[in-house]
């Protein structure tokens, strides 16, 4: 098992390296000259541009720049531009010249908000979704089943941002049913105000993505209820509850784990719409702001972080698989 | 499509003058077993087929029987070159095909066709029967494009389907009818060899006979040679004049069906035959004695040393673990790979293979012995063979602890 | 159709009553199935999977049910276990297990019977065992469902059962998962699981179809040995007449959801009276038959259960239907009644003299070597008035 994790980690790092190359190429060698972004539009003289280009190191050979970037991640790197010097400790994901800060520190400070949002959202989605899915599979073909499947399809068809926006506009701004949203630290401001600020965003994420868990778990429950081994369980004289919960559910959760892992990774990488609409200072909102200001180091860092989460989620999902299914041996 | 064969008979014929259309010598297929993870290392090999030799005459039929996983299908897929052999030689009509590239193989592909076990998954559900049967005709330019449809209808007629049903989809046919479509598709290219991999095992009992009869008809009509793979011993016996029994990647006994079914000499063949429930015997009250085999077939990744059957064999002795028994010819059309080959209940007490292997009772090589392994992997049957009757006397002389230095003495009789 | 079948049902019921009245009453057969109908309403119409089936089975005896796939073998025996989803199944008739009527029994009551007094093993041992639980836990679970004992006691019982069915080193294999067992060992484990509560009736649905012949022989031996020890009744479902011939005391041949022939094994296999049974016997070669001849297949395909053929459901495929006067085979369903060979042997066919046709037309084709044997053997069975 340990060896397996090491091997998977190595292959994960290879994936991240490839991603970093792509990010590097896209952002620093993309259609727009990054130096321009730092050059004040009104007074951008060619000398000034050349100056910035040099101070950013953009005139150095490609490999050297990439090497510098990589070195920063491993060993840290201090950035100097003219008179200013910004220390950037390892892992250094670059420095935002717009904000004059170390990108990694900057993002780390915003991570708790995103993490809170993701954990709550996924927890609600999984519980609600699988409960509905199992229920629907048990009453297959009845009105209740059709209602669950139908409403899940309807909710899925509405664009997510619309749901979030309407929820915010009506439930918070217009009617005030929910408290004003936003993120405060549970440690400094107390867990109640923390939860209050996240309540509606949690519900919005939870309900909208519960639909896919509902349909997935309904499908896999129906499938596993038809498995031969479930018939065996019934033939042994087990109660319906035991048959459903111990035999059918155990194998039905396997596919649910996959979507859960990937969704959790995606949420951790930042939910742009949710954070923007509910005004939560998380990774997603930061990335969005960075796009607005063309703050390339921040955008690059968020992409890399997203890739890291997906890679990690895949490894975690595989480990959970091996715990669920004895046939999967991690060696 | 049948051309008379008047070529000079090669060295290994069985005397009937028929030239083998297919000759397989020492064929091997090892599948690598790989570790999981990024860097996949080969940690072993599945020895799926491990040195089999046989030949099939033009228009003849060789049956391949054995338990699940013994390498029957792999052998079939090697011959149709759906798989590349690890080593060994396969000759089609005297021409080596084991090492041909895909491109060189193309003109030969139509000569060797295959029918699969599962009539449900081996036909593309989105293609009409006309397309399924017509595609090989077009690809290999068997007939001008305009005549494809006519030919398809002819073929459907041959296999007993309504020719007007050419524009229907496989799902509209029953299992037996689908298997007929598979046969029509294989026949489209007028092959000389048909590899039939469990052609009836997925079918209902009442339908199996229909397909077996159809295969027999097309064999006669088009003079096609069959490699007939099945685990049903009775069907194989009915269809094939020659039968080979496989165990863990090796042929353990090969003979004409009369000999093999009436006087099997290998313990495994004996056990296999005795295990088949027989309606008639049971119905008239005469139940045959059943040989109980203990345990299961070992893994082909780590087959037992020496004789692969020894872990389940009630006859096994020291020598069986040390020396692999060669496939020794013991009759005009009978080869068996067992140190103690003999009829059930009358098996010899001392090994019959000592001369061929040049070893003593316990499997230790004897200095000065000159075993001729070359001959032992040749396909087909030769005129000279080890006569077990005369051998008995010679082997009794070997019972003592000193070996008579006479590897080719009375042990080998020449009969003609 | 309904009126006719009602009439026939009544007829059969009366016959069944008759048969029961002859016997020692309820104490006799452990299992009594009467006029069992099982149908499944589907989008395309109603699938008549089992129609009007009646038989009985005593303790210590084995009944073999044969027939091609889709003939209703599994459906009829799953009904005894109450394994059908009653929301999607229509079931009428009567099944009495040890005197208790189980048709219409609530799921809760059924539960105590299932796996306890009546147990079942299935065709594919790999898919029938849960891949995520160890063999031992699946066996002890079956024990715990019917016995109030501790987990460790149940596990000890699992080891004991595995040992009983011939798993070597049962103690160290008990925690293995199904994928670590070979096919034959998995079927042994299934048998251990079925026998853990000493069932009085064991239903084996194609227990050896997925296995190789040498392993099949081991499993059949095991079943026979266990039956001797436990004196349970066994229903063995198969499409292989050879298996039936070796295992069963009684044979029931099914075709298109109906029993078409029923009798003692040796009697039925030596003097079959129904053309479908003849077809089954003649279409499979055996390892001693003459190889020069052709196989004699049953022409055509199995019947549709959505639109079953009128009259005798075998008539579209029956080579002997012309021997029945009139158009009877096509228009009228033959009853399952006593044939020419005594009350034990029932057949569903209009032919008046099946014995003669079998001996003069069928037997010489399929087993010329047996003609003399069976004729001689039959001589002392056939009552004088029938000769
Ligand atoms: N592509 C493959 N990779 C690895 N192993 C393989 C592969 N194909 C076959 N094998 C192994 O080779 C052995 C022989 O397989 P093969 O399919 O030839 O058996 P068979 O005799 O046809 O069995 P059956 O009666 O079940 O069809 C088996 O152990 C099988 O698991
Ligand atoms: N749940 C079901 N719904 C509809 N049809 C079914 C169902 N179960 C079985 N059948 C049909 O009933 C018939 C008899 O099936 P079965 O008893 O399983 O056959 P076998 O004789 O092969 O065991 C088949 O045509 C099958 O398709
Ligand atoms: S060689 Fe030995 S182990 Fe192998 S079959 Fe013969 S007697 Fe048995
Ligand atoms: S009733 Fe008629 S059709 Fe049916 S089996 Fe008898 S002879 Fe054949
Ligand atoms: Mg195969
Ligand atoms: Mg079945």
């Amino acid at each position: 098992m340990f060896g397996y994790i090491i091997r998977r980690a190595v292959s994960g790092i290879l994936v991240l390296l490839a991603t970093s190359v792509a990010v590097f190429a896209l952002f620093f060698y993309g259609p727009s000259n990054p130096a321009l972004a730092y050059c004040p539009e009104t007074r951008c003289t060619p000398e000034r541009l050349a100056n910035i280009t040099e101070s950013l190191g953009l005139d150095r050979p490609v490999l050297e720049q990439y090497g510098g970037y990589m070195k920063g991640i491993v060993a840290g790197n201090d950035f100097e531009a003219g008179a200013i010097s910004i220390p950037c400790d390892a892992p250094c994901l670059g420095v935002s010249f717009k904000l004059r800060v170390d990108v990694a520190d900057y993002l780390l400070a915003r991570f708790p908000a995103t993490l809170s949002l993701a954990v709550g959202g996924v927890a609600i989605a999984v519980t609600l979704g699988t409960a509905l899915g199992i229920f629907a599979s048990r009453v297959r073909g009845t009105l209740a089943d059709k209602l669950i499947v139908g409403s899940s399809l309807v909710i899925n068809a509405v664009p997510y941002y619309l749901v979030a926006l309407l929820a915010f506009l009506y439930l918070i701004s217009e009617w005030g049913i929910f408290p004003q949203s936003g993120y405060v630290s549970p440690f400094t401001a107390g867990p109640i105000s923390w939860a209050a600020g996240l309540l509606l965003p949690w519900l919005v994420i939870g309900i909208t993505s519960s639909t896919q868990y509902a349909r997935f778990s309904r499908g896999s429950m129906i499938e596993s209820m038809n498995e031969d081994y479930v018939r065996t369980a019934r033939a042994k004289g087990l109660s319906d509850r035991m048959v459903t919960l111990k035999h059918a559910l155990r194998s039905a959760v396997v596919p649910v784990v996959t979507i859960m892992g990937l969704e959790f990774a995606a949420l951790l990488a930042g939910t742009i719409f949710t954070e923007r609409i509910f005004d939560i200072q998380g990774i997603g909102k930061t990335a969005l702001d960075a796009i607005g200001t063309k703050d390339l180091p921040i955008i690059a860092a968020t992409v890399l972080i997203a890739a890291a989460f997906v890679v990690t989620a895949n490894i975690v999902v595989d480990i959970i698989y091996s715990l669920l299914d004895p046939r999967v041996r991690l060696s | 499509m049948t051309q008379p064969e008047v070529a000079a008979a090669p060295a290994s014929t069985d005397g009937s003058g028929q030239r083998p259309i297919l000759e397989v010598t020492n064929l091997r297929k090892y599948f690598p077993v790989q570790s999981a993870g990024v860097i996949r290392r080969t940690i072993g090999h599945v020895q799926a087929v491990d040195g089999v030799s046989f030949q099939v005459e033009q228009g003849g039929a060789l049956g391949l029987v054995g338990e699940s996983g013994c390498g029957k299908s792999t052998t079939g897929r090697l011959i149709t070159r759906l798989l590349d052999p690890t080593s060994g030689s396969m000759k089609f009509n005297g021409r080596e095909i084991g090492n041909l590239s895909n491109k060189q193989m193309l003109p030969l592909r139509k000569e060797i066709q295959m029918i699969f076990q599962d009539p449900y998954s081996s036909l593309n559900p989105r293609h009409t029967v006309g397309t399924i049967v017509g595609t090989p005709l077009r690809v290999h330019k068997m007939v001008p494009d305009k005549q494809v449809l006519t030919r398809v209808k002819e073929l459907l007629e041959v296999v007993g389907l309504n020719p007007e049903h050419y524009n229907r989809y496989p799902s509209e046919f029953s299992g037996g009818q689908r298997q007929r479509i598979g046969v029509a598709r294989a026949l489209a290219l007028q092959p000389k060899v048909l590899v039939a991999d469990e052609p009836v095992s997925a079918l209902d009992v009442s339908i199996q006979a229909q397909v077996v009869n159809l295969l027999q008809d097309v064999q006669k009509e088009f003079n096609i040679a069959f490699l007939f793979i099945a685990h049903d011993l009775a069907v194989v016996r009915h269809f094939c004049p020659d039968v080979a029994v496989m165990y863990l990647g090796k042929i353990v006994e090969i003979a004409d069906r009369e000999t093999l079914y009436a006087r099997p000499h290998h313990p495994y063949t004996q056990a296999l035959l005795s295990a088949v429930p027989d309606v008639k015997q049971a119905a008239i009250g005469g139940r045959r004695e059943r040989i109980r085999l203990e345990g299961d077939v070992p893994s082909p990744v780590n087959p037992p040393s020496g004789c692969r059957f020894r872990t389940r064999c009630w006859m096994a002795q020291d020598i069986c673990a040390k020396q692999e028994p060669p496939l020794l010819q013991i009759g005009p059309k009978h080869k068996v790979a067992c140190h103690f080959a003999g009829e059930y209940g009358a098996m010899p007490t001392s090994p019959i293979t000592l001369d061929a292997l040049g070893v003593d009772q316990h499997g230790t090589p004897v200095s000065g012995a000159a075993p001729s392994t070359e001959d032992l992997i040749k396909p087909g049957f030769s005129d000279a063979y080890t006569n077990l009757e005369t051998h008995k006397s010679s082997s009794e002389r070997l019972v003592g602890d000193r070996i008579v230095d006479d590897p080719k003495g009375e042990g080998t009789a020449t009969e003609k | 159709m309904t009126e006719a079948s009602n009439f026939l049902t009544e007829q059969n019921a009366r016959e069944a009553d008759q048969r029961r009245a002859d016997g020692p009453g309820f104490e006799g057969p452990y299992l009594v199935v009467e006029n069992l109908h099982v149908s499944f309403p589907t989008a395309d119409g109603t699938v008549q999977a089992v129609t009007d089936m009646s038989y009985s089975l005593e303790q210590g005896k084995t009944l073999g049910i044969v027939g091609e796939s889709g003939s209703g073998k599994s459906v009829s025996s799953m009904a005894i276990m109450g394994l059908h989803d009653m929301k999607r199944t229509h079931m009428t008739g009567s099944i009495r297990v040890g005197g208790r009527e189980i048709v219409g029994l609530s799921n809760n009551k059924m539960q105590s019977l299932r796996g306890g007094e009546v147990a079942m093993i299935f065709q594919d041992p790999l898919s029938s065992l849960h891949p995520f639980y160890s063999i031992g836990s699946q066996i002890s679970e079956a024990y715990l469902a019917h016995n109030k004992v501790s987990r460790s006691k149940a596990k000890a019982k699992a080891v004991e059962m595995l040992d009983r069915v011939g798993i070597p080193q049962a103690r160290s294999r008990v925690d293995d998962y199904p994928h670590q067992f070979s096919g034959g060992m998995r079927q042994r484990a299934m048998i251990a699981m079925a026998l853990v509560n000493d069932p009085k009736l064991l239903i084996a649905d194609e227990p050896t179809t997925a296995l190789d012949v040498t392993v099949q022989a081991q499993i059949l031996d095991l079943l026979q040995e266990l039956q001797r020890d436990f004196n349970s009744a066994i229903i063995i479902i198969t499409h292989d007449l050879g298996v039936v011939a070796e295992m069963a005391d009684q044979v029931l041949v099914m075709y298109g959801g109906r029993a078409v022939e029923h009798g003692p094994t040796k009697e039925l296999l030596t003097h079959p009276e129904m053309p479908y049974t003849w077809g089954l016997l003649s279409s499979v070669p055996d390892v001693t038959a003459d190889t020069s001849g052709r196989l004699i297949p049953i022409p055509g395909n199995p019947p549709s259960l959505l639109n079953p053929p009128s009259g005798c459901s075998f008539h579209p495929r029956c080579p002997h239907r012309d021997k029945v006067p009139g158009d009877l085979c096509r228009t009228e369903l033959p009853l399952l009644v006593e044939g020419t060979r005594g009350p034990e042997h029932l057949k569903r066919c209009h032919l008046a003299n099946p014995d003669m046709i079998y001996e003069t037309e069928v037997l010489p084709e399929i087993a010329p070597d047996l003609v003399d044997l069976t004729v001689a053997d039959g001589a002392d069975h056939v009552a004088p008035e029938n000769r």
Side-chain angles (χ1 to χ4, degrees):
Chain A
M1 174 93 133
F2 184 70
Y4 172 81
I5 294 173
I6 299 283
R7 274 200 302 280
R8 282 299 302 265
V10 169
S11 70
I13 287 169
L14 290 179
V15 169
L16 289 181
L17 271 179
T19 318
S20 74
V21 170
V23 165
F24 195 77
L26 264 179
F27 288 106
F28 294 88
Y29 287 88
S32 76
N33 179 359
L36 264 179
Y38 297 97
C39 195
E41 274 156 52
T42 44
R43 294 169 284 127
C44 191
T45 58
E47 298 85 63
R48 195 146 180 168
L49 192 64
N51 225 340
I52 294 174
T53 307
E54 202 207 321
S55 72
L56 284 176
L58 291 171
D59 54 346
R60 281 178 286 158
V62 188
L63 275 180
E64 198 184 320
Q65 285 190 57
Y66 180 69
Y69 186 68
M70 284 288 105
K71 181 179 155 256
I73 293 181
V74 180
N77 207 355
D78 284 353
F79 281 82
E80 324 229 345
I84 330 154
S85 160
I86 303 169
C88 180
D89 299 331
C92 170
L93 295 175
V95 157
S96 160
F97 284 90
K98 280 264 157 66
L99 305 167
R100 307 214 160 143
V101 289
D102 175 342
V103 170
D105 290 348
Y106 184 72
L107 289 178
L108 196 63
R110 275 145 190 80
F111 187 62
T114 297
L115 182 66
S116 308
L117 200 57
V119 170
V122 167
I124 293 178
V126 170
T127 336
L128 185 68
T130 41
L132 281 176
I134 293 169
F135 174 71
S137 76
R138 301 306 290 133
V139 297
R140 182 157 60 109
T142 63
L143 189 67
D145 176 33
K146 283 178 187 141
L147 260 172
I148 291 172
V149 174
S151 53
S152 121
L153 287 172
V154 169
I155 293 177
N156 249 23
V158 183
Y160 172 75
Y161 63 85
L162 199 61
V163 178
L165 198 60
L166 290 176
F168 176 76
L169 285 179
Y170 285 93
L171 300 180
I172 293 180
S173 306
E174 194 78 359
W175 300 329
I177 299 173
F178 283 86
Q180 187 60 43
S181 62
Y183 173 77
V184 291
S185 165
F187 304 109
T188 52
I192 298 197
S193 25
W194 168 75
L198 291 172
L199 189 57
L200 189 61
W202 278 343
L203 285 176
V204 169
I205 293 180
I207 291 173
T208 49
S209 53
S210 75
T211 56
Q212 52 166 336
Y213 292 106
R215 271 175 298 138
F216 245 89
S217 54
R218 177 183 177 273
S220 63
M221 265 311 268
I222 289 176
E223 205 175 291
S224 72
M225 283 303 283
N226 278 327
E227 291 285 355
D228 286 352
Y229 52 76
V230 169
R231 184 183 60 190
T232 309
R234 297 184 57 218
K236 280 195 252 190
L238 300 186
S239 67
D240 276 358
R241 233 187 89 228
M242 282 280 269
V243 172
T244 312
L245 296 182
K246 189 171 168 197
H247 288 258
L249 187 59
R250 172 86 185 257
S251 30
V253 294
V254 171
V256 173
V257 167
T258 317
I259 40 174
M260 190 175 96
L262 292 180
E263 178 171 36
F264 194 60
L267 285 177
L268 282 183
T271 51
I272 292 185
F273 288 127
T274 321
E275 293 179 9
R276 169 74 186 74
I277 291 169
F278 292 102
D279 194 23
I280 293 162
Q281 291 299 328
I283 308 275
K285 180 118 190 315
T286 311
L288 192 66
D289 293 345
I291 290 170
T293 57
K294 292 195 182 151
D295 200 339
L296 292 174
I298 292 186
I299 302 174
T302 52
V303 171
L304 261 187
I305 289 175
F309 280 135
V310 171
V311 165
T312 320
N314 269 317
I315 299 177
V316 172
V317 163
D318 278 356
I319 292 171
I320 296 179
Y321 268 177
S322 78
L323 297 179
L324 283 173
D325 185 344
R327 287 170 301 182
V328 179
R329 253 175 305 150
L330 305 181
S331 59
Chain B
M1 63 173 285
T2 55
Q3 68 245 52
E5 286 292 336
V6 265
S12 51
T13 52
D14 59 357
S16 69
Q18 275 275 27
R19 172 174 158 177
I21 184 108
L22 187 69
E23 196 175 46
V24 171
T25 312
N26 211 12
L27 189 63
R28 285 203 160 79
K29 177 69 191 179
Y30 289 6
F31 293 103
V33 182
Q34 286 178 330
S35 61
V38 208
I39 305 129
R40 292 177 172 272
R41 284 168 304 127
T42 300
I43 51 176
H45 284 98
V46 179
Q47 308 184 1
V49 173
D50 195 15
V52 302
S53 306
F54 58 82
Q55 60 185 32
V56 189
E57 286 162 24
Q58 190 146 46
L62 174 71
L64 220 47
V65 297
E67 285 175 278
S68 187
C70 68
K72 307 182 295 289
S73 303
T74 306
T75 308
R77 281 161 43 216
L78 287 170
I79 286 161
T80 43
R81 286 299 309 274
L82 293 173
L83 284 174
D84 291 331
T86 305
S87 70
S89 130
M90 298 188 288
K91 287 207 175 93
F92 172 75
N93 235 340
R95 178 169 174 205
E96 178 62 46
I97 57 166
N99 51 13
L100 294 187
S101 67
N102 267 341
K103 204 169 159 200
Q104 291 168 312
M105 196 53 209
L106 196 64
L108 283 175
R109 282 218 190 272
K110 63 177 205 274
E111 309 277 8
I112 309 175
Q113 285 290 306
M114 188 150 180
I115 309 171
F116 298 92
Q117 164 171 5
D118 190 350
Y120 297 89
S121 62
S122 57
L123 302 176
N124 186 333
R126 277 185 288 277
H127 287 171
T128 62
V129 171
T131 317
I132 291 170
V133 180
T135 304
L137 291 173
R138 280 198 194 88
V139 170
H140 288 271
K141 306 217 169 21
M142 297 297 292
V143 288
D145 271 1
K146 276 188 197 139
Q147 287 166 33
V148 167
L149 185 60
T150 334
R151 181 78 187 121
V152 166
K153 288 185 179 175
E154 275 170 30
L155 285 163
L156 291 180
E157 184 117 47
V158 167
V159 298
L161 291 171
N162 185 340
E164 294 313 314
H165 289 174
Y166 67 88
N167 53 4
R168 296 199 176 177
Y169 290 88
S171 57
E172 297 170 57
F173 293 90
S174 70
Q177 287 173 323
R178 280 183 231 195
Q179 200 56 299
R180 288 173 192 269
I181 298 169
V183 176
R185 172 175 61 183
L187 288 181
L189 297 173
Q190 308 187 341
K192 298 213 173 51
V193 175
L194 249 180
V195 176
D197 189 357
E198 309 263 7
V200 297
S201 17
L203 302 176
D204 247 317
V205 270
S206 73
I207 306 298
Q208 287 187 2
Q210 297 177 6
V211 174
V212 170
N213 283 350
L214 168 68
L215 292 177
Q216 248 169 354
D217 291 344
V218 301
Q219 173 179 36
K220 275 209 202 83
E221 189 171 341
F222 303 106
N223 197 28
I224 299 173
F226 267 78
L227 183 66
F228 194 99
I229 298 169
H231 64 263
D232 185 330
L233 292 154
V235 170
V236 167
R237 177 173 176 275
H238 179 82
F239 197 90
C240 309
D242 294 306
V243 180
V245 180
M246 283 185 79
Y247 187 80
L248 266 184
K250 289 190 182 290
I251 291 182
V252 295
E253 186 158 11
I254 179 168
D256 59 291
R257 68 179 149 211
E258 288 73 22
T259 311
L260 191 99
Y261 283 77
R263 290 181 290 114
H265 274 56
H266 195 283
Y268 178 63
T269 316
Q270 291 161 358
L272 205 59
L273 282 171
S274 82
V276 181
D278 186 354
V279 197
K280 283 174 201 159
Q281 290 297 321
I284 58 173
R287 189 177 293 189
R288 278 169 303 143
E289 185 190 355
R290 189 186 281 162
I291 304 168
R292 280 177 185 238
L293 280 189
E294 298 292 327
D296 298 298
V297 185
S299 149
V301 180
N302 284 313
S305 66
C307 174
R308 294 189 170 190
F309 184 56
R310 75 177 157 85
T311 51
R312 302 169 79 195
C313 181
W314 66 95
M315 294 279 301
Q317 311 272 332
D318 284 356
I319 186 175
C320 302
K322 288 199 192 124
Q323 292 290 335
E324 184 185 325
L327 193 59
L328 205 63
Q329 186 172 345
I330 57 162
K333 287 195 81 184
H334 192 182
K335 283 182 168 181
V336 59
C338 169
H339 295 301
F340 300 95
E343 283 195 54
Y344 184 60
M347 297 171 99
T349 46
S350 55
I352 60 160
T353 49
L354 300 183
D355 301 339
L357 289 171
V359 296
D360 72 8
Q361 287 278 302
H362 308 286
T364 324
V366 175
S367 56
S372 56
T373 41
E374 244 335 89
D375 286 346
L376 295 171
I377 54 168
K378 267 198 193 140
F381 300 99
S382 68
D383 297 336
Y385 56 87
T386 308
N387 190 320
L388 287 187
E389 285 309 312
T390 44
H391 190 273
K392 222 179 252 170
S393 54
S394 91
S395 63
E396 257 151 29
R397 281 194 288 127
L398 302 180
V399 172
D401 43 12
R402 293 201 52 217
I403 304 299
V404 182
D405 195 3
D406 181 18
K408 290 236 157 152
E410 292 97 324
T412 313
T414 309
E415 233 179 54
K416 181 72 208 191
Chain C
M1 140 104 216
T2 43
E3 232 166 277
S5 71
N6 273 349
F7 164 72
L8 295 166
T9 313
E10 260 167 46
Q11 273 248 329
N12 262 39
R14 243 177 285 134
E15 279 159 26
D17 281 338
Q18 193 61 39
R19 249 176 285 143
R20 224 163 356 123
D22 295 344
F26 139 66
E27 270 82 18
Y30 176 70
L31 171 72
V32 181
V33 175
E34 273 174 4
N35 311 117
L36 181 68
H37 287 253
V38 185
S39 56
F40 304 101
T42 67
D44 305 328
T46 301
V47 178
Q48 284 288 346
V50 173
T51 311
D52 196 13
M53 193 172 178
S54 303
Y55 62 84
S56 60
L57 183 61
E58 283 170 40
Q59 286 279 254
K61 295 282 184 212
T62 303
L63 170 72
I65 301 184
V66 286
E68 51 204 318
S69 70
S71 59
K73 308 183 293 293
S74 303
V75 169
S76 65
S77 45
M78 275 165 63
I80 302 172
M81 291 285 288
L83 281 179
H84 291 299
D85 177 358
M86 290 318 291
K87 273 180 267 170
R88 272 170 268 278
T89 313
H90 185 69
M91 194 157 108
T92 60
S94 152
I95 300 173
R96 284 193 303 283
V97 176
R100 255 156 314 160
E101 175 60 54
I102 62 162
V103 172
L105 207 63
S106 76
N107 201 26
N108 272 354
K109 293 226 178 79
M110 230 16 251
Q111 218 170 284
S112 64
L113 205 67
R114 272 203 294 259
E117 231 174 276
V118 189
M120 187 159 183
I121 55 181
F122 302 96
Q123 170 170 352
D124 184 352
L126 180 58
S127 67
S128 299
L129 287 163
H130 200 299
F132 296 178
Y133 295 106
S134 72
I135 297 275
S137 74
Q138 297 190 51
I139 297 175
S140 45
E141 187 183 40
Y143 192 58
L144 285 168
H146 298 272
N147 298 279
K148 284 206 164 37
V149 293
S150 68
R151 275 177 186 282
S152 56
K153 274 244 176 62
K155 184 162 177 188
K157 181 78 183 172
V159 174
E160 180 199 321
M161 288 311 294
L162 283 178
D163 198 46
R164 184 72 196 76
V165 297
I167 302 279
Q169 280 127 30
R171 194 170 301 281
S172 59
R173 302 304 300 263
V174 69
D175 292 322
D176 278 6
Y177 289 94
H179 71 274
Q180 292 164 303
F181 272 31
S182 71
M185 285 162 73
R186 283 180 207 131
Q187 197 58 294
R188 282 170 196 269
M190 281 296 290
I191 294 176
M193 191 152 84
L195 294 182
V196 74
N197 294 311
D198 298 344
K200 296 210 173 75
L201 171 63
L202 177 67
I203 303 173
D205 189 352
E206 314 233 12
T208 58
T209 307
L211 305 175
D212 281 315
V213 277
T214 57
V215 184
Q216 161 168 300
Q218 295 172 353
I219 296 292
L220 295 183
D221 279 349
L222 175 67
L223 283 176
Q224 278 176 330
E225 191 185 307
L226 294 170
Q227 180 173 40
R228 244 176 281 134
D229 296 356
F230 293 93
N231 194 36
S232 38
I234 295 185
I235 296 180
I236 185 161
I237 298 173
T238 171
H239 59 257
D240 187 340
L241 280 172
V243 170
V244 162
E246 297 211 347
M247 296 288 294
D249 303 301
Q250 293 269 323
V251 186
L252 195 150
V253 183
M254 287 193 78
Y255 186 78
R258 283 194 174 86
V260 294
E261 189 159 8
H262 185 12
T265 306
K266 193 178 162 207
E267 153 70 24
L268 191 143
L269 291 179
T270 45
H271 299 93
E273 298 207 295
M274 153 83 196
Y276 175 65
T277 316
W278 299 344
L280 280 185
L281 282 165
S282 63
S283 56
V284 282
D286 69 72
V287 286
T288 53
D290 174 29
T291 49
S292 57
R294 285 166 66 80
L295 298 177
I296 309 152
I298 304 177
N301 289 303
S304 145
L305 295 177
L306 281 170
N307 300 302
S310 61
C312 169
S313 49
F314 188 56
H315 87 257
R317 305 171 76 185
C318 181
H320 301 279
R321 56 169 181 248
D322 296 336
K323 301 192 178 86
V324 174
D327 213 3
L328 222 53
C329 291
R330 205 174 50 74
T331 55
E332 198 156 323
L333 174 71
L335 302 179
L336 184 68
V337 289
E338 185 179 315
T340 53
R341 304 184 50 84
E344 296 265 83
H345 190 161
L346 309 177
K347 53 129 200 193
R348 194 189 280 283
C349 174
H350 289 306
L351 285 175
N353 49 355
D355 240 25
M356 206 198 48
I357 299 175
Y358 180 67
E359 263 155 33
T360 56
E361 287 183 36
V362 185
L363 200 54
E365 290 223 45
I366 62 175
D369 48 324
L370 289 186
V371 173
D372 296 340
L373 267 172
T374 39
V375 170
D377 171 46
D380 26 84
H381 283 98
V382 180
E385 63 267 29
N386 284 333
R387 303 208 75 197

